[in-house]
């Protein structure tokens, strides 16, 4: 769009960074080359991330740089054209062009620290300019840029261009204190949702929660046929056990967001789009349902069939009350692989069975994360392993290939679900399991084959209908126990937001109440489906009460992550 202010803002940032580098390097040609290289690499990263995940590059994505080796499967799929190579090496060509002239600033022999100090002050000024909320509100007015653009990132990058949008997001990292956040407000919430006495039907069961990567029902794509149902076991189990649909907070990637919401009962709705709470906001002991069970004497263990440092989980999980968090390099059972790049879901179930056979006299809370069905899906498995064929006359061979590879992975997840179910049902110790999918898979560029099959009408998420939004964020979940909980599951065959899953589970097994679980169950009764970034709310809900409760949930989230922990002080 025609937004000269966005252009001038980007130009201003560029010149400011150039001047800072000039003072530090003392060579303008080197400063320009370094800045050009940084811009080029960021633009390439944005291009490839959007190609894979339909999501732009955000400043907080740079926190994943330390896990660069984990992106090898993605890097292997990169297709770099000759034109891209020219762009990639253009900063080097620029340096070579300027090198013979060697323009530089001359300083006296012992005065070199002066320009370096000036350069550091320049960088400090740029940082303050971009991150201070007070300054931010002014400069967005000066350049006629809407600060609200950051709530719709696709529009932000389209309207303002990559550089300006990226710079705006740096300021968006800082979350403002909610208007009504204070100790008195939190104390009132604690009083309103005070826990009742513990039910006599509380059996203190072992509790197993599984985040199944990209666990989703692909057979819902229109005009698409499958040689066999990839979710046979899930459907059979759902006939006799509580199940439903979870509305995720993400599509195609960003597993840590719905994972965080399920584990903590908190919301990411008011956080920056694409934010990862573990890395950005979790820096102290924080409430989670792991800590809830730990406070009752449970052993609390996290398992992941991938690197346990990804998303800084190795740091976040202890802060949430986990005694252990084991990744693929710390697992104690045999590791199972197939031709795909990740450990199988069978490996995780074997590890869970191993853990359930260890002594946990006061109970076990275990949270497991699978990895086998992670993208990329194109040619992920060998042809011999693709046991389910897919057909759709409107889809290209590339789309069919991705779908068949996805189906292979999700059918393995379905078998792992049955393996866990059979084992749990054979146990004498009371055990309950919650199994859920974190998000839909990215099967192709620009939301194909969702567009190709006609399930959504546009490759721009901002043009989706309410029904399409709900579809693109809906994943299945199931709950089963090996004993009679003597209570009906409240949300049977219903759609619920991700942070409602654990409170619903606690209610189902008569577990002790908490302020947070009571608030969330009230929110479930009022508006069980919320996706605020896409303005998706359950039809016929009470808007005034919904607003009051979602504001209260954000107050509690802010209090426990970024605030002063008034809730813990009030309830301890």
């Amino acid at each position: 769009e025609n937004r000269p202010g966005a252009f001038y803002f980007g130009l201003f940032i560029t010149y400011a960074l150039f001047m800072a580098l000039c003072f530090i390097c003392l060579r303008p040609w080197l400063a320009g080359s370094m800045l050009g290289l940084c811009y080029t690499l960021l633009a390439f990263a944005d291009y490839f991330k959007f190609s894979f995940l339909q999501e732009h590059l955000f400043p907080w994505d740079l926190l994943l740089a330390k896990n660069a080796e984990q992106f090898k499967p993605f890097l292997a799929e990169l297709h770099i054209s000759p034109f891209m190579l020219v762009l990639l090496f253009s900063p080097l060509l620029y340096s070579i062009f300027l090198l013979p002239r060697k323009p530089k600033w001359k300083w006296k022999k012992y005065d070199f620290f002066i320009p370096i100090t000036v350069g550091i002050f320049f960088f400090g000024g740029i940082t303050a300019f971009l991150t201070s909320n007070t300054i931010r509100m002014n400069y967005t007015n000066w350049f006629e840029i809407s600060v609200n653009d950051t709530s719709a990132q696709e529009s932000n990058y389209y309207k303002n261009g990559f550089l300006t949008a990226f710079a705006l997001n740096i300021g968006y990292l800082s979350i403002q204190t909610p208007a009504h956040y204070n100790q008195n407000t939190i104390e009132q919430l604690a009083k309103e949702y005070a826990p009742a006495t513990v039910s006599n039907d509380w059996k203190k069961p072992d509790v197993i929660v599984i985040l199944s990567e990209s666990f989703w029902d692909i057979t819902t794509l229109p005009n698409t046929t499958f040689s066999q149902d990839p979710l046979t076991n899930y459907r059979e189990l759902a006939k006799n056990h509580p199940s439903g649909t979870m509305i995720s907070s993400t599509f195609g990637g960003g597993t840590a967001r719905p994972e965080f919401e399920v584990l903590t009962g908190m919301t990411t709705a008011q956080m920056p789009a694409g934010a990862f709470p573990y890395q950005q906001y979790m820096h102290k002991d924080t409430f989670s349902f792991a800590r809830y069970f730990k406070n009752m004497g449970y052993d609390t263990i996290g398992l992941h069939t991938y690197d346990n440092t990804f998303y800084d989980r190795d740091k976040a999980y202890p802060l949430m009350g986990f005694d252990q968090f084991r990744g693929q390099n710390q697992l104690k059972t045999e590791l199972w692989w197939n031709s795909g790049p990740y450990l199988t879901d069978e490996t995780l179930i074997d590890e869970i069975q191993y853990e359930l056979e260890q002594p946990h006299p006061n109970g076990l809370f275990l949270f497991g994360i699978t990895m086998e069905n992670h993208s990329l899906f194109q040619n992920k498995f060998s042809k011999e392993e693709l046991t389910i064929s897919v057909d759709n006359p409107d889809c290209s061979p590339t789309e069919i290939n991705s779908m068949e590879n996805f189906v292979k992975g999700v059918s393995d997840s379905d078998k792992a679900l049955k393996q866990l179910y059979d084992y749990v049902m054979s146990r004498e110790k009371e055990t309950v399991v919650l199994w859920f999918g974190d998000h839909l898979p990215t099967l192709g560029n620009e939301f194909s084959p969702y567009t190709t099959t006609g399930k959504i009408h546009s490759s721009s998420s901002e043009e989706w209908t309410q029904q399409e939004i709900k579809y693109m964020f809906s994943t299945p979940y199931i709950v089963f126990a090996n004993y009679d909980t003597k209570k009906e599951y409240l949300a049977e065959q219903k759609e619920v937001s991700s942070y409602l899953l654990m409170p619903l589970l606690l209610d189902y097994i008569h577990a002790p109440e908490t302020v947070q679980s009571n608030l969330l169950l009230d929110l479930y009764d009022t508006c069980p489906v919320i996706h605020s970034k896409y303005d998706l709310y359950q039809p016929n809900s009470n808007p005034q009460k919904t607003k009051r409760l979602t504001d209260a949930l954000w107050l509690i989230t802010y209090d426990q992550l970024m605030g002063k922990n008034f809730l813990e002080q009030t309830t301890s």
Side-chain angles (χ1 to χ4, degrees):
E1 291 191 6
N2 183 21
R3 285 198 172 190
F7 170 76
Y8 291 126
F9 177 78
L11 199 62
F12 172 79
I13 295 297
T14 299
Y15 275 116
L17 290 171
F18 175 69
M19 291 300 297
L21 287 171
C22 280
F23 278 111
I24 291 175
C25 299
L26 300 180
R27 288 169 176 80
W29 65 272
L30 182 58
S33 299
M34 291 173 61
L35 190 59
L37 180 62
C38 288
Y39 277 16
T40 303
L41 291 175
L42 288 174
F44 268 77
D46 178 70
Y47 171 78
F48 287 119
K49 183 189 175 187
F50 195 83
S51 296
F52 292 138
L53 301 176
Q54 277 69 56
E55 191 176 76
H56 285 284
L57 184 75
F58 306 127
W60 39 93
D61 289 328
L62 302 182
L63 296 171
L64 296 174
K66 66 178 182 179
N67 297 106
E69 188 170 337
Q70 308 301 326
F71 292 98
K72 282 183 178 178
F74 293 88
L75 297 176
E77 294 296 318
L78 297 182
H79 300 290
I80 301 178
S81 67
F83 178 69
M84 291 180 181
L85 287 174
V86 172
L87 290 178
L88 186 60
F89 287 102
S90 58
L92 178 60
L93 297 174
Y94 176 71
S95 298
I96 294 173
F97 174 75
L98 289 180
L99 189 57
R101 303 185 182 189
K102 293 185 178 178
K104 61 182 180 180
W105 295 352
K106 295 182 179 180
W107 298 83
K108 293 181 181 180
K109 186 175 181 180
Y110 299 106
D111 289 346
F112 67 90
F113 66 89
I114 296 177
I116 293 176
T117 303
V118 172
I120 292 172
F121 273 106
F122 248 102
F123 274 119
I126 295 168
T127 302
F129 181 79
L130 292 176
T131 58
S132 168
N133 284 321
T134 303
I135 298 175
R136 191 167 182 251
M137 295 306 295
N138 285 319
Y139 73 67
T140 50
N141 288 330
W142 300 337
F143 291 99
E144 296 181 342
I145 303 171
S146 173
V147 71
N148 294 325
D149 285 339
T150 47
S151 63
Q153 294 290 359
E154 187 176 343
S155 174
N156 181 25
Y157 281 76
Y158 174 75
K159 292 178 179 178
N160 296 318
F162 171 76
L163 178 59
T164 295
F166 190 85
L168 284 174
N169 279 322
I170 293 174
Y172 195 30
L173 279 167
S174 177
I175 294 179
Q176 288 184 291
T177 303
H180 301 294
Y181 175 67
N182 54 58
Q183 186 169 0
N184 181 62
T185 303
I186 299 299
E187 287 177 350
Q188 289 299 316
L189 285 173
K191 183 178 180 180
E192 181 179 357
Y193 293 103
T197 56
V198 179
S199 168
N200 292 329
D201 292 318
W202 167 234
K203 301 293 185 183
K204 207 172 184 182
D206 289 340
V207 178
I208 313 300
V209 181
I210 305 297
L211 183 159
S212 182
E213 175 66 38
S214 298
F215 191 75
W216 168 68
D217 187 1
I218 191 174
T219 66
T220 57
L221 290 177
N223 304 317
T224 308
T225 57
F226 302 82
S227 59
Q228 67 182 67
D229 186 357
L231 295 181
T232 302
N233 295 307
Y234 172 81
R235 289 190 223 286
E236 191 64 30
L237 296 178
K239 293 177 182 177
N240 302 306
H241 299 280
S243 62
T245 299
M246 183 192 85
I247 305 301
S248 178
S249 54
T250 189
F251 168 86
T255 294
R257 289 191 288 276
E259 173 188 334
F260 165 82
E261 291 189 327
V262 171
L263 266 173
T264 65
M266 300 184 205
T267 176
T268 61
Q270 281 84 359
M271 296 179 189
F276 299 120
Y278 295 158
Q279 294 175 305
Q280 292 158 239
Y281 307 114
M282 192 175 288
H283 307 298
K284 60 186 178 183
D285 285 349
T286 303
F287 172 83
S288 78
F289 291 104
R291 186 172 299 283
Y292 160 86
F293 283 104
K294 183 180 178 68
N295 290 341
M296 291 191 290
Y298 275 61
D299 295 328
T300 53
I301 295 174
L303 300 174
H304 189 17
T305 46
Y306 200 56
D307 191 328
N308 68 336
T309 67
F310 208 67
Y311 292 123
D312 283 351
R313 286 188 178 103
D314 60 323
K315 299 175 183 176
Y317 270 57
L319 294 176
M320 291 189 291
F322 281 90
D323 298 320
Q324 301 178 42
F325 179 62
R326 305 202 297 267
Q328 65 181 23
N329 296 322
Q330 297 84 36
L331 299 182
K332 300 182 179 182
T333 56
E334 185 174 353
L335 306 184
W336 298 99
W337 303 82
N338 49 35
S339 63
Y342 308 113
L343 283 172
T344 63
D345 288 2
E346 179 186 0
T347 302
L348 181 69
I349 304 307
D350 287 350
E351 191 77 8
I352 291 172
Q353 291 178 197
Y354 165 85
E355 201 55 60
L356 288 172
E357 290 169 2
Q358 307 310 305
H360 299 287
N362 294 314
L364 171 68
F365 174 78
L366 188 149
F367 190 90
I369 308 167
T370 74
M371 194 66 185
E372 179 181 352
N373 208 35
H374 197 283
S375 59
L376 297 167
F377 299 106
Q378 188 67 29
N379 298 316
K380 180 177 178 179
F381 299 103
S382 67
K383 290 184 179 181
E384 294 74 22
E385 289 179 308
L386 301 179
T387 55
I388 301 177
S389 60
V390 180
D391 183 63
N392 185 305
D394 298 320
C395 290
S396 68
T398 298
E399 290 173 316
I400 294 295
N401 180 277
S402 291
M403 288 193 285
E404 289 184 340
N405 277 271
F406 171 79
V407 166
K408 151 68 178 169
V410 81
S411 65
D412 283 355
S413 300
D414 186 63
K415 293 172 185 174
L417 170 62
K418 183 63 162 60
Q419 179 185 342
L420 179 61
Y421 176 82
D422 289 342
Y423 178 79
V424 165
M425 290 302 168
S426 71
R427 299 189 81 211
E428 292 185 8
K429 167 69 173 160
E430 290 92 345
T431 309
V432 62
V433 174
L434 164 63
W435 177 290
F436 69 97
D438 56 342
H439 54 68
L440 272 67
T442 298
L443 295 170
N445 294 340
E446 297 185 346
F447 295 107
S448 70
Y450 303 99
T451 50
T452 311
T453 59
K455 194 62 187 180
I456 57 174
H457 80 282
S458 172
S459 59
S460 172
S461 61
E462 294 181 5
E463 297 178 6
W464 293 346
T465 65
Q466 290 284 292
Q467 185 176 3
E468 290 171 341
I469 292 169
K470 186 184 292 185
Y471 179 84
M472 295 297 281
F473 290 91
S474 294
T475 62
Y477 76 90
I478 189 168
V479 176
F480 55 86
N482 64 355
Y483 69 103
D484 183 5
T485 68
K486 298 182 180 180
K487 191 163 190 180
E488 293 294 322
Y489 183 72
L490 291 176
E492 172 64 17
Q493 292 299 310
K494 293 181 180 178
E495 300 163 335
V496 297
S497 298
S498 53
Y499 43 73
L500 296 175
L501 288 185
M502 284 301 296
L504 289 166
L505 178 68
L506 298 186
D507 176 79
Y508 181 57
I509 60 177
H510 299 275
E513 298 175 356
T514 70
V515 171
Q516 194 148 327
S517 63
N518 286 342
L519 167 65
L520 288 166
L521 288 176
D522 194 9
L523 182 57
Y524 165 75
D525 288 335
T526 306
C527 187
V529 173
I530 301 173
H531 202 301
S532 60
K533 284 187 171 61
Y534 284 91
D535 197 27
L536 176 65
Y537 295 90
Q538 182 80 11
N540 305 317
S541 61
N542 182 322
Q544 290 78 26
K545 188 175 181 182
T546 298
K547 178 68 165 58
R548 182 177 71 82
L549 289 173
T550 53
D551 286 350
L553 177 57
W554 176 239
L555 283 173
I556 288 179
T557 299
Y558 182 89
D559 179 60
Q560 294 176 110
L561 273 186
M562 294 151 274
K564 298 182 179 179
N565 274 334
F566 291 136
L567 183 61
E568 183 181 355
Q569 298 168 27
T570 302
T571 56
S572 60

